[in-house]
Amino acid sequence: MSPTPQQVTPPQVPEPGPAYAEFAAGFAFALDPYQRDGCAVVEAGAGVLIAAPTGAGKTVVGEFAVFLALRQGRRCFYTTPIKALSNQKYHDLVERFGAQRVGLLTGDTSLNADADVVVMTTEVLRNMIYANSSALRNLGYVVMDEVHYLADRFRGAVWEEVIIGLAPSVQLVSLSATVSNAEEFGDWLAEVRGDVRVVLSERRPVPLFQHVMAGRRLYDLFSEEAPTASVLPVAGEVNPELLQLAKRDSRLVRDDSRHRRGRRTRERIERNAQQRGDRGPNLVPRRDGAVEKLESEGLLPAIYFIFSRAGCDQAVGQLLHSGLRLTSPAERERLDSIADSVAAGLSPDDLAALGFATFREGLRRGIAAHHAGMLPAFKEAVEQGFVEGLVKVVFATETLALGINMPARSVVLEKLIKYNGEAHVDITPGEYTQLTGRAGRRGIDVEGHAVVLWQRDIDPRQVAGLASRRTYPLRSSFSPTYNMTVNLVGRVGRERARGLLEQSFAQYQTDRSVVGVARAVARNTDKIAALWRDAACEEGDLEEYARLRAEISRLEGEAARNRRTDRRAESISALLELAPGDIIGVPAGRHEGWAVVVDPGVRKDRGNPSPTVMTQERQLKKLSVHDFPSPPVVVGRMRVPKHFDPRQAKDRRHLSAAFQSKLAGLDTRESRYAPAAMDAEASARIAELRSAVQDHPAHSCPDRETHARAAEKALRLERDTADLRRQVERRSNTIAVRFDKICAVLTGLGYLTPDAERVTQAGAMLARIYSELDLVASESIRAGVFDELNSAELAAVASSLTYESRGADAKRPSRMPNRSIEIAQSSVRHIWRDLSLMERDHKLDASREPDIGFAEATYAWASGQDLAEVLAENDLTAGDFVRSMRMVIDLLGQLADAAGAGVVRTRAREAIDLLRRGVVGVAYDEDD
């Protein structure tokens, strides 16, 4: 069921009480109905899930929980997924409730941590729960902002750990973007937390109008009101002008059969059109032209999404080169001040390395980029300028859609495809909704605008489909880890920990999916019974007779498959024995016939030989095992010249003539492959069953085949039903089964006691390491891998446990800076390999391999090298460098805590001090 613009799950929300009246009086405007309902639920003592569009003001309900906590003399923790959001929310709450009553905890920042209200990242609260921190006493409310982050495949599990681990007395206020399965998520919250109500709102506070920009003209996407601009969802008709444009433009891109034309064909069509004088307008807007059009239409400020970091930087450069200036003198003065505050604390050399002059010039013109490759301090300056209305256009990657509150009047999408790490794919309706949800600033704009730029082969109907559908399902990414396991077992014991994990949203969703399969099993069972009734025979037990026949078919099929497997093995063995000059028969495929081996092709992969042969048609072909369903038979030999060059026509001609001459003199009549006979044991069993079939009373029934057809249907349905039952078994208790396997690994390594009921001293150490490669790090400490390293060397090795290369970005092979680091890294890899084997034995996915791609940069920075040299020598952007360095620092802090008193703790803390300098030190409190 799709939710109405405002909907509350039963039991119905009570009327707001006196606390709400007092709270609402502090606002200069009337709160929306859904905000009032959410606050009423919280005041009544229940938990609440608020699901509403971006910018709809759902944080008001979170602030009401803060208000109630202060009113009741209890504590409230306000959690966010990223540090920048925590910083922003901290300042918002300080402004509303006062600095004395609000604190901030983000792992590396601690301000007034004992305050009644503390803003923190979700990981900080998770760690408090596992440590049974005294800070949890008197905790009455937890607000989880952006709770839909639990779908994040890297960090999402943390949200579920908190939801499951919080004391039942804590009221949970969950704030989410609009998701299509909010009711399902709310049902799960109610199951694990008690009374939780769901308040949904699909009504955007600012209507969103949809456009397509083609050339220098802005077209409405819909012929009438856009679905996103109406109070109630409506089906919108696509603007017929856009359909005509698409039809005209598509002649260049596709032929009459709708097949996509190649690049050369498109260039030829354009060239011919130009020669005829039919130039036709180029409808794909230039970036500077698009921004100028938005400015002339009064649609700035805008977020301009380009799904590429390099594309964002290039766009800023293009606008600077065009001379475009979007700011007034007063705005430039304020932007200069913001830019200069970023430069404070950085040396001139660092600023030059960071391209600060270009960044500053773009910022003062109201033009900036925003992506993960930028220095966090630069991003914060852009955010500040944009929120103040000074920066007019931000070229951003999609990560901005998940970031801090940066609403705009307009959102521009340059393309509707993006690279997902593996391939270029279309964006989904959910992603489109997220990206365009930034458009329209509440209290500033009366309407927001989403603009899609025209591209070759664009389909306006596809754009309309993205803009009309609001599907954004929440899918759990929860999965137990080694660290999670020792923490849970340490807190509540193995059995209770297993039970808690079975309460996860991941298991809840899996169990719901099993329901449909279970229903299919029940339906099939009834059908099978009916089919057996139809197959009943007066002469004898037809079911028994049918199963005898089915067993014969199964054994014959299995024997045939085994013979095919044997033939493949024989084929590989025969191909491995080939030598240049062997004359063989190719038994099947396009190259069936006689051929002479030029190169056996077994040097690289003995499991997959690929001989190069010359066929009777004088063609040189590279064959594979697939060309030999039966082993090749060598019928003769001839000489292949030692210096035969397949590229020379003369050499090919001479070899072919010699081959034809040799082949003419060979007797090839008895060269067929003789397949092996059926296995004797299988043959005997089949003969025995055939005899039983012949002797069975039902065999003599005149309607035997009619009965048999019904029986075959029943047997086929039985096989299908057995597959469904296996699906149910695989899906049921998947989280608990993984937990059991992890416990087995940890018990074998001594992190849990032999009965897996308690945590050992080694387990207590592992409980302090939250890295993705937590077990590799812990085993490295236990093995003394880090003991002989100095501080810079330890930092370099630690980087291999946090860093993950971005695809094929690396332009040269990575190497370790010195021999000591190389030896230690070799030990780390050996530990990882041993653990991978254990994981394989326990049927667990292998942990990610350590990545040394950041080791040189880490060692150089820890050794005092200049920023410009580190970035240039390691081909890194400033943002990637700072973010990766902070991950190393975080892990070093965990290693120091886990290792206890000794040389590793000392060296780790020294390494942190070495790394926290320059841009890393200045930007350390900023967001990832």
Side-chain angles (χ1 to χ4, degrees):
M1 180 183 78
S2 104
T4 55
Q6 173 139 350
Q7 177 179 316
V8 185
T9 56
Q12 287 301 310
V13 173
E15 285 300 313
Y20 171 77
E22 183 183 340
F23 173 74
F27 290 87
F29 53 87
L31 297 185
D32 289 345
Y34 91 89
Q35 294 170 323
R36 181 199 62 218
D37 290 344
C39 292
V41 169
V42 177
E43 188 172 4
V48 68
L49 168 65
I50 306 291
T54 300
K58 32 183 189 293
T59 55
V60 165
V61 183
E63 291 181 10
F64 180 65
V66 173
F67 174 82
L68 279 181
L70 295 173
R71 199 170 189 260
Q72 297 166 359
R74 304 174 75 189
R75 301 196 80 189
C76 177
F77 290 167
Y78 196 113
T79 72
T80 73
I82 52 179
K83 293 185 177 77
L85 269 175
S86 292
N87 293 338
Q88 188 179 61
K89 201 66 213 175
Y90 167 73
H91 292 300
D92 291 346
L93 293 179
V94 164
E95 186 175 343
R96 183 169 179 84
F97 299 106
Q100 297 302 313
R101 311 183 84 176
V102 183
L104 176 67
L105 276 176
T106 59
D108 48 84
T109 301
S110 178
L111 296 173
N112 199 17
D114 295 325
D116 295 327
V117 178
V118 183
V119 183
M120 61 184 68
T121 48
T122 315
E123 280 86 353
V124 171
L125 179 54
R126 186 271 312 270
N127 297 351
M128 281 184 180
I129 291 170
Y130 283 155
N132 197 23
S133 169
S134 60
L136 298 172
R137 293 176 194 152
N138 197 36
L139 180 62
Y141 299 87
V142 166
V143 180
M144 300 193 80
D145 204 352
E146 310 283 354
V147 73
H148 53 272
Y149 257 75
L150 68 76
D152 184 271
R153 70 187 180 99
F154 297 109
R155 298 171 55 215
V158 176
W159 276 254
E160 293 190 49
E161 289 177 83
V162 168
I163 291 167
I164 294 169
L166 278 173
S169 59
V170 177
Q171 262 181 266
L172 189 65
V173 177
S174 304
L175 310 178
S176 170
T178 305
V179 293
S180 54
N181 61 334
E183 293 93 341
E184 178 191 39
F185 184 43
D187 289 346
W188 171 71
L189 285 171
E191 189 165 296
V192 296
R193 299 294 312 167
D195 186 8
V196 174
R197 318 280 176 85
V198 180
V199 177
L200 304 179
S201 175
E202 280 213 355
R203 183 180 180 278
R204 286 180 49 87
V206 177
L208 177 63
F209 291 88
Q210 308 278 347
H211 311 280
V212 173
M213 185 182 292
R216 297 299 294 267
R217 184 176 167 190
L218 206 58
Y219 294 84
D220 290 335
L221 175 58
F222 296 96
S223 56
E224 296 179 1
E225 190 174 47
T228 49
S230 63
V231 175
L232 291 169
V234 295
E237 293 292 328
V238 180
N239 186 343
E241 284 188 275
L242 286 175
L243 296 176
Q244 284 298 320
L245 277 181
K247 185 176 180 180
R248 188 165 67 242
D249 214 33
S250 69
R251 293 176 191 146
L252 175 68
V253 180
R254 296 186 184 276
D255 60 21
D256 292 340
S257 302
R258 303 302 298 155
H259 295 130
R260 187 175 179 83
R261 300 189 194 275
R263 178 177 57 83
R264 291 183 180 177
T265 305
R266 296 199 304 270
E267 289 174 352
R268 177 172 52 79
I269 292 172
E270 283 185 328
R271 195 164 51 249
N272 291 342
Q274 289 173 5
Q275 288 171 358
R276 295 193 306 267
D278 179 18
R279 296 183 176 273
N282 181 5
L283 297 178
V284 180
R286 289 170 50 92
R287 287 166 176 164
D288 53 352
V291 173
E292 287 174 352
K293 179 63 176 176
L294 292 173
E295 183 185 26
S296 68
E297 295 285 342
L299 298 182
L300 295 181
I303 299 173
Y304 194 125
F305 283 109
I306 300 174
F307 302 126
S308 156
R309 297 180 183 183
C312 292
D313 293 335
Q314 289 165 4
V316 172
Q318 288 165 358
L319 264 64
L320 290 179
H321 183 70
S322 72
L324 192 63
R325 193 186 301 276
L326 304 172
T327 51
S328 67
E331 289 172 330
R332 287 195 287 277
E333 185 177 346
R334 171 62 183 143
L335 286 165
D336 284 343
S337 173
I338 292 173
D340 291 342
S341 69
V342 170
L346 294 175
S347 69
D349 289 342
D350 285 353
L351 291 173
L354 295 168
F356 176 72
T358 302
F359 169 78
R360 188 178 191 272
E361 180 58 26
L363 194 70
R364 70 192 314 268
R365 292 193 193 186
I367 303 161
H370 189 289
H371 56 73
M374 292 173 60
L375 190 71
F378 283 18
K379 285 199 295 180
E380 187 186 54
V382 173
E383 291 159 6
Q384 184 178 349
F386 198 83
V387 168
E388 292 184 23
L390 307 172
V391 174
K392 309 301 182 182
V393 61
V394 171
F395 295 98
T397 57
E398 64 180 310
T399 53
L400 179 61
L402 302 173
I404 69 165
N405 183 27
M406 275 181 63
R409 179 166 296 163
S410 304
V411 164
V412 180
L413 274 67
E414 185 169 76
K415 293 182 179 179
L416 297 177
I417 58 172
K418 66 170 187 174
Y419 187 68
N420 66 0
E422 297 175 357
H424 286 89
V425 298
D426 293 335
I427 66 171
T428 65
E431 289 167 335
Y432 184 91
T433 300
Q434 260 191 330
L435 295 166
T436 58
R438 293 279 180 192
R441 297 165 296 175
R442 185 169 191 169
I444 302 175
D445 301 320
V446 294
E447 57 190 39
H449 299 268
V451 180
V452 175
L453 299 191
W454 189 272
Q455 297 294 329
R456 294 288 192 196
D457 204 20
I458 194 171
D459 183 353
R461 287 171 294 239
Q462 178 201 6
V463 183
L466 290 173
S468 302
R469 292 164 59 201
R470 305 181 188 185
T471 53
Y472 182 60
L474 198 58
R475 294 281 175 258
S476 172
S477 60
F478 184 84
S479 183
T481 64
Y482 295 113
N483 170 275
M484 186 192 302
T485 299
V486 292
N487 272 301
L488 283 173
V489 172
R491 281 183 63 226
V492 298
R494 176 175 175 168
E495 283 311 306
R496 192 168 166 220
R498 195 176 192 274
L500 286 173
L501 292 176
E502 287 179 321
Q503 296 177 32
S504 68
F505 187 41
Q507 190 62 56
Y508 184 81
Q509 289 188 309
T510 299
D511 291 344
R512 278 198 161 193
S513 71
V514 164
V515 170
V517 181
R519 285 176 182 160
V521 169
R523 284 195 302 269
N524 286 359
T525 303
D526 293 340
K527 290 179 184 177
I528 290 166
L531 286 168
W532 283 124
R533 286 194 298 271
D534 292 344
C537 176
E538 294 178 0
E539 300 292 333
D541 186 346
L542 201 289
E543 182 175 345
E544 180 184 60
Y545 177 75
R547 292 191 188 282
L548 286 171
R549 288 174 52 157
E551 181 65 6
I552 292 171
S553 298
R554 188 190 68 79
L555 288 173
E556 287 178 337
E558 188 176 281
R561 285 192 297 274
N562 288 340
R563 288 199 298 276
R564 283 197 296 271
T565 302
D566 291 343
R567 282 202 300 273
R568 178 179 170 82
E570 289 176 29
S571 295
I572 292 174
S573 179
L575 290 172
L576 291 172
E577 298 298 322
L578 294 180
D582 283 346
I583 297 174
I584 62 173
V586 181
R590 289 181 300 166
H591 311 302
E592 181 179 1
W594 300 106
V596 59
V597 177
V598 176
D599 181 352
V602 297
R603 286 184 292 273
K604 292 182 179 177
D605 184 1
R606 292 187 63 78
N608 189 26
S610 51
T612 300
V613 302
M614 175 174 278
T615 67
Q616 289 175 276
E617 291 76 28
R618 203 197 292 175
Q619 292 181 320
L620 283 169
K621 296 294 179 183
K622 191 172 218 177
L623 306 181
S624 72
V625 177
H626 300 295
D627 294 299
F628 296 93
S630 59
V633 176
V634 178
V635 297
R637 286 188 52 77
M638 62 175 285
R639 179 177 170 274
V640 175
K642 184 176 181 181
H643 299 295
F644 171 75
D645 186 349
R647 294 168 296 185
Q648 297 295 324
K650 180 181 176 184
D651 285 11
R652 295 197 303 273
R653 191 165 55 249
H654 288 170
L655 181 63
S656 177
F659 172 42
Q660 299 289 358
S661 174
K662 182 72 175 178
L663 190 62
L666 293 175
D667 182 4
T668 59
R669 288 174 298 175
E670 302 298 325
S671 60
R672 291 281 179 188
Y673 166 75
M678 185 186 293
D679 177 74
E681 185 178 340
S683 181
R685 176 60 180 152
I686 289 172
E688 179 185 330
L689 289 169
R690 287 190 187 283
S691 177
V693 166
Q694 294 287 336
D695 296 339
H696 198 282
H699 191 65
S700 59
C701 175
D703 297 322
R704 180 187 68 199
E705 292 308 311
T706 303
H707 297 318
R709 280 193 290 275
E712 285 169 5
K713 289 180 182 177
L715 290 169
R716 188 162 53 246
L717 200 54
E718 281 185 356
R719 290 192 294 272
D720 293 344
T721 305
D723 288 340
L724 292 174
R725 285 197 175 101
R726 282 190 287 273
Q727 283 185 40
V728 172
E729 290 170 8
R730 282 196 302 270
R731 293 182 188 181
S732 298
N733 301 316
T734 50
I735 301 295
V737 168
R738 175 174 167 81
F739 172 75
D740 290 340
K741 292 174 180 178
I742 287 175
C743 284
V745 171
L746 294 175
T747 301
L749 293 171
Y751 289 92
L752 299 177
T753 56
D755 59 2
E757 289 298 330
R758 293 184 309 281
V759 172
T760 64
Q761 186 175 352
M765 176 178 69
L766 175 59
R768 295 184 175 93
I769 302 174
Y770 295 94
S771 162
E772 183 184 358
L773 292 176
D774 46 11
L775 194 54
V776 177
S778 180
E779 283 293 279
S780 298
I781 293 175
R782 295 175 76 189
V785 172
F786 306 137
D787 291 356
E788 302 302 320
L789 301 175
N790 64 33
S791 305
E793 292 167 345
L794 174 58
V797 176
S799 74
S800 71
L801 303 178
T802 61
Y803 187 72
E804 194 167 2
S805 299
R806 296 180 68 239
D809 283 352
K811 293 184 180 176
R812 61 189 181 86
S814 301
R815 58 187 174 83
M816 301 310 280
N818 65 34
R819 182 64 179 158
S820 297
I821 300 175
E822 194 173 314
I823 293 170
Q825 190 62 40
S826 177
S827 298
V828 170
R829 284 186 55 79
H830 183 74
I831 287 168
W832 169 77
R833 279 196 299 269
D834 288 347
L835 291 176
S836 297
L837 292 174
M838 283 191 74
E839 289 168 329
R840 184 195 67 187
D841 292 344
H842 288 86
K843 294 183 170 55
L844 287 165
D845 293 335
S847 299
R848 175 180 67 79
E849 185 176 356
D851 188 332
I852 65 171
F854 194 57
E856 283 187 276
T858 305
Y859 183 74
W861 187 251
S863 301
Q865 193 169 338
D866 289 341
L867 177 66
E869 294 177 67
V870 175
L871 297 181
E873 291 177 9
N874 295 278
D875 192 34
L876 290 165
T877 66
D880 286 335
F881 171 74
V882 171
R883 184 174 57 258
S884 299
M885 197 61 72
R886 286 175 49 189
M887 292 173 69
V888 177
I889 291 170
D890 287 348
L891 177 59
L892 287 168
Q894 294 167 24
L895 294 179
D897 290 342
V903 66
V904 173
R905 171 176 285 182
T906 302
R907 295 281 188 271
R909 289 177 174 171
E910 289 173 354
I912 291 172
D913 292 337
L914 292 174
L915 297 177
R916 288 186 66 169
R917 66 180 180 88
V919 291
V920 178
V922 168
Y924 201 74
D925 292 337
E926 308 301 337
D927 169 49
D928 288 339

